[in-house]
Amino acid sequence: MRFYIRKGLLTPTTNGKGGRNPYQVFTSEHVRAARFIRTAQSLGLSLKELAVIGEERRRGRITPARQINILGAQLAKLEAKAEEMDAMRRYLRAKIDWIAGGAQGTPPDFEKYAQPLAHSMVATCSWTADAPLV
């Protein structure tokens, strides 16, 4: 929580108790925001991106179109990552099978498995804080 506060993602109130270091008061809205941050991080959004989204939301400038833009870009990143993981998984299975078979013949070539990734990595787009708010 302290980290989120330092990054400006959470802004708890203080109750005046605690002397030089007053106690911070967290509401149910703060708890909801912290859960949102954790979920968004698990989906691959950075704290910097979350700060931008939070600021846009607080200013009332996060339109449905902007939300679609942000979520669509993140979905594209996750889909590209899933393809990358699938290629690695297929390579590792082939390598294990090759070793289990006595390492006969030519070993699996990772480049063969990674070729489809080059296309998906180029196609992956990302939203930016500078993107127009629609």
Side-chain angles (χ1 to χ4, degrees):
M1 296 293 269
R2 289 183 190 137
F3 184 70
Y4 295 159
I5 294 166
R6 279 195 309 271
K7 292 290 185 181
L9 297 170
L10 292 177
T11 53
T13 59
T14 57
N15 64 5
K17 297 179 183 175
R20 292 176 59 175
N21 297 313
Y23 296 122
Q24 295 175 327
V25 178
F26 295 94
T27 65
S28 59
E29 177 65 21
H30 291 115
V31 173
R32 189 196 64 73
R35 286 184 181 141
F36 169 79
I37 292 166
R38 295 291 293 166
T39 300
Q41 282 185 297
S42 71
L43 293 173
L45 288 166
S46 71
L47 291 178
K48 182 178 179 182
E49 290 168 326
L50 290 172
V52 169
I53 293 167
E55 183 59 30
E56 288 179 15
R57 189 177 60 83
R58 280 188 291 282
R59 290 181 180 182
R61 295 171 51 189
I62 188 113
T63 64
R66 179 72 166 135
Q67 291 176 50
I68 290 168
N69 176 269
I70 292 167
L71 295 174
Q74 197 58 32
L75 180 59
K77 280 194 228 177
L78 290 174
E79 287 173 341
K81 186 67 173 173
E83 287 180 33
E84 182 181 326
M85 296 297 291
D86 186 54
M88 287 187 242
R89 199 170 26 254
R90 286 184 286 112
Y91 168 74
L92 290 173
R93 284 188 183 126
K95 185 75 169 190
I96 289 168
D97 291 345
W98 178 76
I99 294 168
Q104 300 295 315
T106 307
D109 179 7
F110 183 74
E111 293 301 316
K112 174 185 158 196
Y113 293 88
Q115 284 176 353
L117 298 179
H119 181 270
S120 68
M121 297 296 270
V122 171
T124 302
C125 64
S126 179
W127 72 277
T128 65
D130 300 325
L133 296 172
V134 281

mmCIF file of all heavy atoms in Angstrom, residues 44-80:
data_model
loop_
_atom_site.group_PDB
_atom_site.id
_atom_site.type_symbol
_atom_site.label_atom_id
_atom_site.label_comp_id
_atom_site.label_asym_id
_atom_site.label_seq_id
_atom_site.Cartn_x
_atom_site.Cartn_y
_atom_site.Cartn_z
ATOM 1 N N GLY A 44 -0.694 -7.178 -16.968
ATOM 2 C CA GLY A 44 0.454 -6.632 -17.671
ATOM 3 C C GLY A 44 0.556 -5.123 -17.729
ATOM 4 O O GLY A 44 1.476 -4.592 -18.349
ATOM 5 N N LEU A 45 -0.365 -4.403 -17.125
ATOM 6 C CA LEU A 45 -0.266 -2.939 -17.125
ATOM 7 C C LEU A 45 0.767 -2.497 -16.090
ATOM 8 O O LEU A 45 0.832 -3.049 -14.993
ATOM 9 C CB LEU A 45 -1.618 -2.309 -16.788
ATOM 10 C CG LEU A 45 -2.672 -2.409 -17.885
ATOM 11 C CD1 LEU A 45 -4.045 -2.078 -17.339
ATOM 12 C CD2 LEU A 45 -2.338 -1.492 -19.035
ATOM 13 N N SER A 46 1.564 -1.522 -16.454
ATOM 14 C CA SER A 46 2.576 -0.998 -15.532
ATOM 15 C C SER A 46 1.928 0.007 -14.576
ATOM 16 O O SER A 46 0.835 0.524 -14.835
ATOM 17 C CB SER A 46 3.692 -0.303 -16.309
ATOM 18 O OG SER A 46 3.215 0.912 -16.865
ATOM 19 N N LEU A 47 2.623 0.294 -13.485
ATOM 20 C CA LEU A 47 2.115 1.296 -12.541
ATOM 21 C C LEU A 47 2.035 2.670 -13.209
ATOM 22 O O LEU A 47 1.128 3.449 -12.924
ATOM 23 C CB LEU A 47 2.992 1.345 -11.291
ATOM 24 C CG LEU A 47 2.912 0.109 -10.401
ATOM 25 C CD1 LEU A 47 3.861 0.248 -9.226
ATOM 26 C CD2 LEU A 47 1.492 -0.145 -9.924
ATOM 27 N N LYS A 48 2.965 2.954 -14.106
ATOM 28 C CA LYS A 48 2.933 4.233 -14.824
ATOM 29 C C LYS A 48 1.671 4.322 -15.680
ATOM 30 O O LYS A 48 0.991 5.345 -15.692
ATOM 31 C CB LYS A 48 4.182 4.376 -15.700
ATOM 32 C CG LYS A 48 4.269 5.687 -16.435
ATOM 33 C CD LYS A 48 5.551 5.773 -17.231
ATOM 34 C CE LYS A 48 5.604 7.086 -17.988
ATOM 35 N NZ LYS A 48 6.810 7.197 -18.808
ATOM 36 N N GLU A 49 1.355 3.241 -16.381
ATOM 37 C CA GLU A 49 0.144 3.226 -17.195
ATOM 38 C C GLU A 49 -1.098 3.367 -16.309
ATOM 39 O O GLU A 49 -2.035 4.089 -16.650
ATOM 40 C CB GLU A 49 0.066 1.924 -18.002
ATOM 41 C CG GLU A 49 1.102 1.838 -19.107
ATOM 42 C CD GLU A 49 1.215 0.464 -19.719
ATOM 43 O OE1 GLU A 49 1.044 -0.548 -19.003
ATOM 44 O OE2 GLU A 49 1.493 0.391 -20.933
ATOM 45 N N LEU A 50 -1.084 2.697 -15.172
ATOM 46 C CA LEU A 50 -2.220 2.782 -14.249
ATOM 47 C C LEU A 50 -2.389 4.191 -13.696
ATOM 48 O O LEU A 50 -3.512 4.659 -13.503
ATOM 49 C CB LEU A 50 -2.061 1.783 -13.114
ATOM 50 C CG LEU A 50 -2.226 0.323 -13.527
ATOM 51 C CD1 LEU A 50 -1.849 -0.604 -12.384
ATOM 52 C CD2 LEU A 50 -3.632 0.057 -14.004
ATOM 53 N N ALA A 51 -1.277 4.866 -13.449
ATOM 54 C CA ALA A 51 -1.352 6.248 -12.961
ATOM 55 C C ALA A 51 -2.007 7.146 -14.007
ATOM 56 O O ALA A 51 -2.833 8.002 -13.680
ATOM 57 C CB ALA A 51 0.040 6.754 -12.602
ATOM 58 N N VAL A 52 -1.649 6.944 -15.279
ATOM 59 C CA VAL A 52 -2.245 7.739 -16.361
ATOM 60 C C VAL A 52 -3.739 7.459 -16.451
ATOM 61 O O VAL A 52 -4.555 8.385 -16.546
ATOM 62 C CB VAL A 52 -1.542 7.432 -17.710
ATOM 63 C CG1 VAL A 52 -2.302 8.041 -18.875
ATOM 64 C CG2 VAL A 52 -0.108 7.926 -17.690
ATOM 65 N N ILE A 53 -4.104 6.182 -16.400
ATOM 66 C CA ILE A 53 -5.519 5.814 -16.466
ATOM 67 C C ILE A 53 -6.275 6.410 -15.287
ATOM 68 O O ILE A 53 -7.367 6.962 -15.451
ATOM 69 C CB ILE A 53 -5.674 4.278 -16.498
ATOM 70 C CG1 ILE A 53 -5.110 3.717 -17.806
ATOM 71 C CG2 ILE A 53 -7.135 3.874 -16.324
ATOM 72 C CD1 ILE A 53 -4.941 2.212 -17.808
ATOM 73 N N GLY A 54 -5.691 6.302 -14.100
ATOM 74 C CA GLY A 54 -6.329 6.854 -12.903
ATOM 75 C C GLY A 54 -6.544 8.346 -13.007
ATOM 76 O O GLY A 54 -7.605 8.867 -12.637
ATOM 77 N N GLU A 55 -5.548 9.049 -13.522
ATOM 78 C CA GLU A 55 -5.666 10.504 -13.677
ATOM 79 C C GLU A 55 -6.760 10.845 -14.683
ATOM 80 O O GLU A 55 -7.560 11.750 -14.455
ATOM 81 C CB GLU A 55 -4.323 11.098 -14.109
ATOM 82 C CG GLU A 55 -4.316 12.601 -14.223
ATOM 83 C CD GLU A 55 -4.668 13.313 -12.922
ATOM 84 O OE1 GLU A 55 -4.390 12.775 -11.825
ATOM 85 O OE2 GLU A 55 -5.253 14.410 -12.999
ATOM 86 N N GLU A 56 -6.801 10.120 -15.794
ATOM 87 C CA GLU A 56 -7.849 10.360 -16.782
ATOM 88 C C GLU A 56 -9.227 10.100 -16.169
ATOM 89 O O GLU A 56 -10.172 10.847 -16.411
ATOM 90 C CB GLU A 56 -7.645 9.459 -18.004
ATOM 91 C CG GLU A 56 -6.480 9.857 -18.870
ATOM 92 C CD GLU A 56 -6.290 8.939 -20.065
ATOM 93 O OE1 GLU A 56 -7.215 8.162 -20.395
ATOM 94 O OE2 GLU A 56 -5.223 9.002 -20.686
ATOM 95 N N ARG A 57 -9.324 9.035 -15.387
ATOM 96 C CA ARG A 57 -10.604 8.693 -14.758
ATOM 97 C C ARG A 57 -11.030 9.777 -13.774
ATOM 98 O O ARG A 57 -12.184 10.210 -13.761
ATOM 99 C CB ARG A 57 -10.491 7.340 -14.049
ATOM 100 C CG ARG A 57 -11.821 6.801 -13.564
ATOM 101 C CD ARG A 57 -11.691 5.428 -12.943
ATOM 102 N NE ARG A 57 -10.809 5.391 -11.792
ATOM 103 C CZ ARG A 57 -11.174 5.709 -10.555
ATOM 104 N NH1 ARG A 57 -12.389 6.098 -10.304
ATOM 105 N NH2 ARG A 57 -10.304 5.644 -9.571
ATOM 106 N N ARG A 58 -10.079 10.252 -12.952
ATOM 107 C CA ARG A 58 -10.403 11.303 -11.977
ATOM 108 C C ARG A 58 -10.861 12.587 -12.657
ATOM 109 O O ARG A 58 -11.694 13.312 -12.133
ATOM 110 C CB ARG A 58 -9.201 11.581 -11.070
ATOM 111 C CG ARG A 58 -9.045 10.567 -9.947
ATOM 112 C CD ARG A 58 -7.973 10.972 -8.964
ATOM 113 N NE ARG A 58 -6.627 10.913 -9.520
ATOM 114 C CZ ARG A 58 -5.917 9.798 -9.686
ATOM 115 N NH1 ARG A 58 -6.434 8.642 -9.342
ATOM 116 N NH2 ARG A 58 -4.711 9.838 -10.182
ATOM 117 N N ARG A 59 -10.312 12.867 -13.828
ATOM 118 C CA ARG A 59 -10.682 14.077 -14.569
ATOM 119 C C ARG A 59 -11.955 13.880 -15.388
ATOM 120 O O ARG A 59 -12.402 14.806 -16.069
ATOM 121 C CB ARG A 59 -9.554 14.493 -15.494
ATOM 122 C CG ARG A 59 -8.351 15.011 -14.754
ATOM 123 C CD ARG A 59 -7.281 15.440 -15.702
ATOM 124 N NE ARG A 59 -6.130 15.944 -14.977
ATOM 125 C CZ ARG A 59 -5.068 16.429 -15.551
ATOM 126 N NH1 ARG A 59 -5.002 16.499 -16.875
ATOM 127 N NH2 ARG A 59 -4.066 16.859 -14.836
ATOM 128 N N GLY A 60 -12.489 12.662 -15.369
ATOM 129 C CA GLY A 60 -13.703 12.376 -16.128
ATOM 130 C C GLY A 60 -13.474 12.302 -17.620
ATOM 131 O O GLY A 60 -14.384 12.526 -18.411
ATOM 132 N N ARG A 61 -12.246 11.999 -18.031
ATOM 133 C CA ARG A 61 -11.885 11.999 -19.446
ATOM 134 C C ARG A 61 -11.684 10.602 -20.007
ATOM 135 O O ARG A 61 -11.159 10.454 -21.100
ATOM 136 C CB ARG A 61 -10.624 12.826 -19.644
ATOM 137 C CG ARG A 61 -10.841 14.287 -19.309
ATOM 138 C CD ARG A 61 -9.576 15.087 -19.282
ATOM 139 N NE ARG A 61 -8.772 14.925 -20.475
ATOM 140 C CZ ARG A 61 -7.544 15.396 -20.608
ATOM 141 N NH1 ARG A 61 -6.991 16.061 -19.625
ATOM 142 N NH2 ARG A 61 -6.867 15.203 -21.718
ATOM 143 N N ILE A 62 -12.074 9.584 -19.290
ATOM 144 C CA ILE A 62 -11.864 8.221 -19.778
ATOM 145 C C ILE A 62 -13.172 7.735 -20.404
ATOM 146 O O ILE A 62 -14.038 7.180 -19.755
ATOM 147 C CB ILE A 62 -11.318 7.281 -18.692
ATOM 148 C CG1 ILE A 62 -10.930 5.931 -19.266
ATOM 149 C CG2 ILE A 62 -12.244 7.096 -17.548
ATOM 150 C CD1 ILE A 62 -9.464 5.708 -19.214
ATOM 151 N N THR A 63 -13.325 8.031 -21.663
ATOM 152 C CA THR A 63 -14.540 7.699 -22.403
ATOM 153 C C THR A 63 -14.584 6.202 -22.697
ATOM 154 O O THR A 63 -13.557 5.517 -22.627
ATOM 155 C CB THR A 63 -14.562 8.456 -23.736
ATOM 156 O OG1 THR A 63 -13.470 7.991 -24.534
ATOM 157 C CG2 THR A 63 -14.485 9.968 -23.530
ATOM 158 N N PRO A 64 -15.736 5.681 -23.068
ATOM 159 C CA PRO A 64 -15.797 4.278 -23.481
ATOM 160 C C PRO A 64 -14.831 3.961 -24.625
ATOM 161 O O PRO A 64 -14.189 2.915 -24.629
ATOM 162 C CB PRO A 64 -17.263 4.092 -23.905
ATOM 163 C CG PRO A 64 -18.001 5.073 -23.054
ATOM 164 C CD PRO A 64 -17.077 6.274 -22.965
ATOM 165 N N ALA A 65 -14.706 4.879 -25.583
ATOM 166 C CA ALA A 65 -13.788 4.647 -26.702
ATOM 167 C C ALA A 65 -12.345 4.550 -26.206
ATOM 168 O O ALA A 65 -11.559 3.719 -26.681
ATOM 169 C CB ALA A 65 -13.924 5.761 -27.734
ATOM 170 N N ARG A 66 -11.978 5.404 -25.254
ATOM 171 C CA ARG A 66 -10.623 5.364 -24.692
ATOM 172 C C ARG A 66 -10.401 4.062 -23.930
ATOM 173 O O ARG A 66 -9.345 3.457 -24.011
ATOM 174 C CB ARG A 66 -10.415 6.574 -23.771
ATOM 175 C CG ARG A 66 -9.069 6.624 -23.114
ATOM 176 C CD ARG A 66 -7.974 6.970 -24.101
ATOM 177 N NE ARG A 66 -6.772 7.325 -23.370
ATOM 178 C CZ ARG A 66 -5.567 6.895 -23.676
ATOM 179 N NH1 ARG A 66 -5.383 6.132 -24.734
ATOM 180 N NH2 ARG A 66 -4.539 7.250 -22.964
ATOM 181 N N GLN A 67 -11.400 3.622 -23.173
ATOM 182 C CA GLN A 67 -11.293 2.363 -22.455
ATOM 183 C C GLN A 67 -11.087 1.210 -23.425
ATOM 184 O O GLN A 67 -10.248 0.331 -23.198
ATOM 185 C CB GLN A 67 -12.544 2.115 -21.612
ATOM 186 C CG GLN A 67 -12.665 3.067 -20.443
ATOM 187 C CD GLN A 67 -13.962 2.853 -19.692
ATOM 188 O OE1 GLN A 67 -14.284 1.733 -19.335
ATOM 189 N NE2 GLN A 67 -14.701 3.921 -19.469
ATOM 190 N N ILE A 68 -11.833 1.214 -24.523
ATOM 191 C CA ILE A 68 -11.681 0.171 -25.542
ATOM 192 C C ILE A 68 -10.279 0.210 -26.123
ATOM 193 O O ILE A 68 -9.642 -0.823 -26.335
ATOM 194 C CB ILE A 68 -12.761 0.313 -26.634
ATOM 195 C CG1 ILE A 68 -14.119 -0.065 -26.045
ATOM 196 C CG2 ILE A 68 -12.428 -0.530 -27.860
ATOM 197 C CD1 ILE A 68 -15.304 0.298 -26.932
ATOM 198 N N ASN A 69 -9.759 1.414 -26.380
ATOM 199 C CA ASN A 69 -8.405 1.575 -26.899
ATOM 200 C C ASN A 69 -7.375 0.964 -25.957
ATOM 201 O O ASN A 69 -6.508 0.196 -26.371
ATOM 202 C CB ASN A 69 -8.127 3.058 -27.135
ATOM 203 C CG ASN A 69 -6.702 3.327 -27.576
ATOM 204 O OD1 ASN A 69 -5.829 3.556 -26.739
ATOM 205 N ND2 ASN A 69 -6.477 3.302 -28.871
ATOM 206 N N ILE A 70 -7.471 1.291 -24.696
ATOM 207 C CA ILE A 70 -6.520 0.796 -23.689
ATOM 208 C C ILE A 70 -6.632 -0.716 -23.545
ATOM 209 O O ILE A 70 -5.634 -1.442 -23.590
ATOM 210 C CB ILE A 70 -6.747 1.491 -22.337
ATOM 211 C CG1 ILE A 70 -6.369 2.972 -22.434
ATOM 212 C CG2 ILE A 70 -5.958 0.805 -21.221
ATOM 213 C CD1 ILE A 70 -6.842 3.817 -21.258
ATOM 214 N N LEU A 71 -7.862 -1.198 -23.370
ATOM 215 C CA LEU A 71 -8.070 -2.626 -23.164
ATOM 216 C C LEU A 71 -7.710 -3.435 -24.410
ATOM 217 O O LEU A 71 -7.131 -4.521 -24.316
ATOM 218 C CB LEU A 71 -9.509 -2.895 -22.741
ATOM 219 C CG LEU A 71 -9.915 -2.308 -21.393
ATOM 220 C CD1 LEU A 71 -11.404 -2.503 -21.155
ATOM 221 C CD2 LEU A 71 -9.099 -2.906 -20.262
ATOM 222 N N GLY A 72 -8.027 -2.900 -25.581
ATOM 223 C CA GLY A 72 -7.685 -3.591 -26.828
ATOM 224 C C GLY A 72 -6.180 -3.721 -27.013
ATOM 225 O O GLY A 72 -5.680 -4.772 -27.437
ATOM 226 N N ALA A 73 -5.451 -2.660 -26.702
ATOM 227 C CA ALA A 73 -3.989 -2.707 -26.808
ATOM 228 C C ALA A 73 -3.416 -3.723 -25.828
ATOM 229 O O ALA A 73 -2.497 -4.478 -26.162
ATOM 230 C CB ALA A 73 -3.393 -1.327 -26.556
ATOM 231 N N GLN A 74 -3.967 -3.766 -24.624
ATOM 232 C CA GLN A 74 -3.479 -4.714 -23.625
ATOM 233 C C GLN A 74 -3.809 -6.138 -24.045
ATOM 234 O O GLN A 74 -3.008 -7.051 -23.866
ATOM 235 C CB GLN A 74 -4.062 -4.404 -22.245
ATOM 236 C CG GLN A 74 -3.315 -5.056 -21.125
ATOM 237 C CD GLN A 74 -1.834 -4.661 -21.107
ATOM 238 O OE1 GLN A 74 -1.457 -3.551 -21.478
ATOM 239 N NE2 GLN A 74 -0.999 -5.579 -20.708
ATOM 240 N N LEU A 75 -4.994 -6.346 -24.617
ATOM 241 C CA LEU A 75 -5.377 -7.668 -25.101
ATOM 242 C C LEU A 75 -4.424 -8.131 -26.207
ATOM 243 O O LEU A 75 -3.999 -9.293 -26.227
ATOM 244 C CB LEU A 75 -6.818 -7.654 -25.606
ATOM 245 C CG LEU A 75 -7.349 -8.978 -26.149
ATOM 246 C CD1 LEU A 75 -7.291 -10.069 -25.090
ATOM 247 C CD2 LEU A 75 -8.770 -8.792 -26.665
ATOM 248 N N ALA A 76 -4.053 -7.223 -27.096
ATOM 249 C CA ALA A 76 -3.110 -7.571 -28.167
ATOM 250 C C ALA A 76 -1.767 -8.003 -27.582
ATOM 251 O O ALA A 76 -1.151 -8.965 -28.050
ATOM 252 C CB ALA A 76 -2.925 -6.385 -29.119
ATOM 253 N N LYS A 77 -1.307 -7.294 -26.540
ATOM 254 C CA LYS A 77 -0.045 -7.678 -25.884
ATOM 255 C C LYS A 77 -0.152 -9.060 -25.260
ATOM 256 O O LYS A 77 0.752 -9.878 -25.385
ATOM 257 C CB LYS A 77 0.316 -6.676 -24.784
ATOM 258 C CG LYS A 77 0.951 -5.411 -25.244
ATOM 259 C CD LYS A 77 1.551 -4.726 -24.026
ATOM 260 C CE LYS A 77 1.221 -3.290 -23.926
ATOM 261 N NZ LYS A 77 1.743 -2.662 -22.718
ATOM 262 N N LEU A 78 -1.265 -9.320 -24.575
ATOM 263 C CA LEU A 78 -1.453 -10.616 -23.925
ATOM 264 C C LEU A 78 -1.555 -11.745 -24.947
ATOM 265 O O LEU A 78 -1.006 -12.837 -24.732
ATOM 266 C CB LEU A 78 -2.692 -10.595 -23.032
ATOM 267 C CG LEU A 78 -2.585 -9.756 -21.770
ATOM 268 C CD1 LEU A 78 -3.931 -9.698 -21.055
ATOM 269 C CD2 LEU A 78 -1.511 -10.292 -20.837
ATOM 270 N N GLU A 79 -2.226 -11.490 -26.067
ATOM 271 C CA GLU A 79 -2.333 -12.512 -27.109
ATOM 272 C C GLU A 79 -0.971 -12.812 -27.725
ATOM 273 O O GLU A 79 -0.641 -13.971 -27.989
ATOM 274 C CB GLU A 79 -3.351 -12.089 -28.167
ATOM 275 C CG GLU A 79 -4.776 -12.182 -27.647
ATOM 276 C CD GLU A 79 -5.815 -11.607 -28.595
ATOM 277 O OE1 GLU A 79 -5.457 -10.816 -29.503
ATOM 278 O OE2 GLU A 79 -6.998 -11.945 -28.406
ATOM 279 N N ALA A 80 -0.160 -11.781 -27.950
ATOM 280 C CA ALA A 80 1.193 -11.989 -28.474
ATOM 281 C C ALA A 80 2.029 -12.787 -27.472
ATOM 282 O O ALA A 80 2.784 -13.687 -27.848
ATOM 283 C CB ALA A 80 1.857 -10.656 -28.792
#
